[in-house]
Amino acid sequence: MSLPDFYRHVPRLRVRDPLADFLGAADAGVLEYGYEDAVRLAGHSCPTVASAYALGCQALAALYPGELPERGGVRIDFAERLDAGVTGVIASVLTLLTGAAQQGGFKGIGGAFVRRELQQFEVALPLSLRFTRIDSGAAVDAAADLSRVPAHPDTSVLLGACLRGEADADARRRFGELWQQRVARILVEHWGDQAVFRVQAA
């Protein structure tokens, strides 16, 4: 499996999942995720998948300073409807990282380890997302402004040609390269840029 080199330079996320510990799925329940896991889940790499991955990692770091975040220990509220725009894609990536799921999520074992209904939609929020620790109630609001990392000027032209079936192999390859270059800039160059990724106490 060949993936773009920049994936290796994207920060990774380590969490502790009590369910994984209980069922013996991972030593001490410690799991590690990288951007490539979000790509495998979504089936593609794009600015939306990238921003969801980054916001999930950064929100968990803010909620669990100096300790491993607890997967399954966070509730996520969304300002948008589930079927609005790219909200569903973002929700899927955040389920991967946090364990927080919608109505069809894991119902738990004997009342413990419940993951379903830990995502709620169309909630009045100051930003796009709110992450809340179930144990303490501590919360952070989060949003991404990807307009601050614009695409290469040729991207839209090449995209149109590809969609119309007018692009040759070189043009299709160039489009993919430019697309991933923007994703790389979002995740590597702007990871700590608060103008792009805003995470603040709720």
Side-chain angles (χ1 to χ4, degrees), residues 50-87:
S51 66
Y53 177 82
L55 285 176
C57 291
Q58 295 183 27
L60 288 174
L63 284 175
Y64 293 87
E67 59 180 313
L68 284 183
E70 181 181 323
R71 190 173 186 275
V74 172
R75 184 181 72 249
I76 307 175
D77 296 320
F78 297 75
E80 298 287 342
R81 304 188 321 270
L82 175 59
D83 61 353
V86 296
T87 303

